[in-house]
């Protein structure tokens, strides 16, 4: 009985331990299952990290490409801004530099003048522009200057009568003139289309403001204007004159032979020879 009780106790004890060990075994089994789930979780985390890494790399590549494009466009913008901020290197020098002086004579066509000199080391084309092309014109309206060459351009403007009883010298003209320049390759014939074909290379030299002067009151500006106008007229008259004839050739001492007469005599001589041969 004792043995039977012992056995029974042992069995009950075994059962009790078994019942107590079941949770641990289940836990162990569950631990084994948890280990596999943790393995799966770590694998999924690894895949997720790889995907995140790939996405981040793609995102970084796109960001680098975008940043490169922005830098490129930004660099172009910076260059344009820097070019606009740099001081303009002028090709021409004007005298007067910023103004056009006109004698105030209402109802008449007044004249002004400006000297234009090419101060660069290349040939430069220039052109006048005005806000009032119907009442103003320039002579010449444009041209090409070689390095160091200068001309005096004459500007014509019709002076209107003052409005609202304004004083003559208080009248302000809204008309403006602009001189633009263009670097050209060597001497060539001037055509206005040069500035249309190379718009990006055209530079604004100066915007000239119209200033009226009292023609009856002596002033340095009036005297200088008169000298420039006289010089411009002299240059225009020189261009109108035909080229000087070299004159007849002088052969030997005191023997003058006119070229036309010489050609005429040769022609008549050939005609006579041909007539004799035909006979």
């Amino acid at each position: 009985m004792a043995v039977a009780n012992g056995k029974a106790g042992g069995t009950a004890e075994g059962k009790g331990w078994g019942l107590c060990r079941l949770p641990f075994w289940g836990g162990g089994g569950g631990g084994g299952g948890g280990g596999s789930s943790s393995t799966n979780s770590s694998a999924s985390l690894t895949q997720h990290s790889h995907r995140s890494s790939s996405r981040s790399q793609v995102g970084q590549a796109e960001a680098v490409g975008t940043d490169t494009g922005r830098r490129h466009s930004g660099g172009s913008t910076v260059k344009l801004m820097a070019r606009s901020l740099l001081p303009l290197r002028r090709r021409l020098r004007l005298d007067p530099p910023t103004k056009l002086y006109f004698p105030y004579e209402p109802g008449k066509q007044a004249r002004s003048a400006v000297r234009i000199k090419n101060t660069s080391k290349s040939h430069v084309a220039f052109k006048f522009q005005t806000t009032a092309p119907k009442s103003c014109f320039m002579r010449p309206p444009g041209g090409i200057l070689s390095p160091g060459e200068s001309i005096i351009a004459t500007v014509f403007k019709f002076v209107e009568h003052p409005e609202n009883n304004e004083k003559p010298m208080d009248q302000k003209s809204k008309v403006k003139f602009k001189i633009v320049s263009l670097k050209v390759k060597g001497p060539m014939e001037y055509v206005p289309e040069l500035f249309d074909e190379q718009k990006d290379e055209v530079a604004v030299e100066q915007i000239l403001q119209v200033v009226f002067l009292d023609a009856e009151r002596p002033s340095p500006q009036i005297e200088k204007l008169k000298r420039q106008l006289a010089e411009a007229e002299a240059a225009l008259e020189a261009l109108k004159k035909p080229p000087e004839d070299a004159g007849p050739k002088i052969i030997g001492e005191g023997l003058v032979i006119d070229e036309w007469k010489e050609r005429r005599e040769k022609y008549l001589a050939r005609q006579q020879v041909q007539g004799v041969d035909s006979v």
Side-chain angles (χ1 to χ4, degrees):
M1 290 295 295
V3 174
N5 293 336
K7 289 181 180 180
T11 304
E13 185 179 357
K15 290 180 180 179
W17 277 106
L19 292 173
C20 291
R21 282 197 288 268
L22 280 175
F24 289 97
W25 292 340
S36 61
S37 65
S38 65
T39 303
N40 294 333
S41 300
S42 62
S44 62
L45 287 172
T46 304
Q47 293 177 359
H48 180 69
S49 63
H50 282 306
R51 290 174 184 172
S52 301
S53 177
S54 302
R55 290 174 182 173
S56 63
Q57 289 177 359
V58 172
Q60 289 177 0
E62 292 177 352
V64 169
T66 305
D67 186 56
T68 303
R70 289 176 179 175
R71 287 181 182 176
H72 181 71
S73 60
S76 302
T77 306
V78 170
K79 288 181 180 179
L80 292 174
M81 291 178 64
R83 185 180 297 179
S84 63
L85 292 175
L86 288 175
L88 177 64
R89 186 175 181 180
R90 302 187 186 279
R91 305 182 180 111
L92 304 175
R93 186 172 64 199
L94 308 180
D95 182 25
T98 60
K99 297 178 181 179
L100 282 176
Y101 295 101
F102 287 89
Y104 189 78
E105 297 174 343
K108 297 182 180 180
Q109 189 178 65
R111 293 185 304 164
S112 182
V114 57
R115 183 185 296 274
I116 306 173
K117 182 176 182 180
N118 180 8
T119 57
S120 68
K121 296 181 180 180
S122 61
H123 286 72
V124 173
F126 73 92
K127 183 174 72 170
F128 272 97
Q129 294 178 346
T130 178
T131 57
K134 293 183 179 180
S135 61
C136 304
F137 67 95
M138 290 68 65
R139 189 177 65 196
I144 295 179
L145 300 176
S146 59
E149 184 182 1
S150 65
I151 65 166
I152 294 181
T154 307
V155 185
F156 299 83
K157 183 186 185 309
F158 181 79
V159 182
E160 298 179 356
H161 290 277
E163 298 178 359
N164 301 326
N165 296 325
E166 289 180 337
K167 294 181 180 180
M169 301 312 297
D170 291 342
Q171 184 186 17
K172 295 181 180 179
S173 176
K174 297 181 181 180
V175 179
K176 293 182 180 180
F177 294 86
K178 181 167 64 175
I179 297 180
V180 295
S181 68
L182 174 67
K183 181 180 177 181
V184 295
K185 296 180 179 179
M188 62 176 63
E189 183 180 358
Y190 170 78
V191 289
E193 289 75 16
L194 286 172
F195 292 86
D196 298 331
E197 296 171 357
Q198 306 179 46
K199 291 182 179 179
D200 296 337
E201 302 297 327
V202 176
V204 177
E205 291 290 334
Q206 188 63 53
I207 296 177
L208 302 173
Q209 180 184 2
V210 173
V211 177
F212 291 116
L213 300 175
D214 189 351
E216 298 179 357
R217 180 181 300 176
S219 66
Q221 291 84 1
I222 284 289
E223 296 300 324
K224 184 176 182 179
L225 176 59
K226 290 179 179 180
R227 291 195 301 268
Q228 287 184 332
L229 289 174
E231 187 175 346
E233 288 295 330
L236 182 62
E237 291 298 327
L239 291 175
K240 291 180 179 179
K241 290 182 179 180
E244 295 183 359
D245 189 6
K249 291 184 179 180
I250 299 178
I251 303 176
E253 295 182 0
L255 181 60
V256 179
I257 300 177
D258 187 278
E259 292 184 1
W260 184 84
K261 289 182 179 180
E262 184 180 359
R263 290 196 298 269
R264 180 68 177 172
E265 291 175 357
K266 289 182 180 180
Y267 173 76
L268 293 176
R270 286 196 300 270
Q271 292 293 327
Q272 291 178 358
V273 172
Q274 292 176 359
V276 172
D277 292 342
S278 61
V279 173

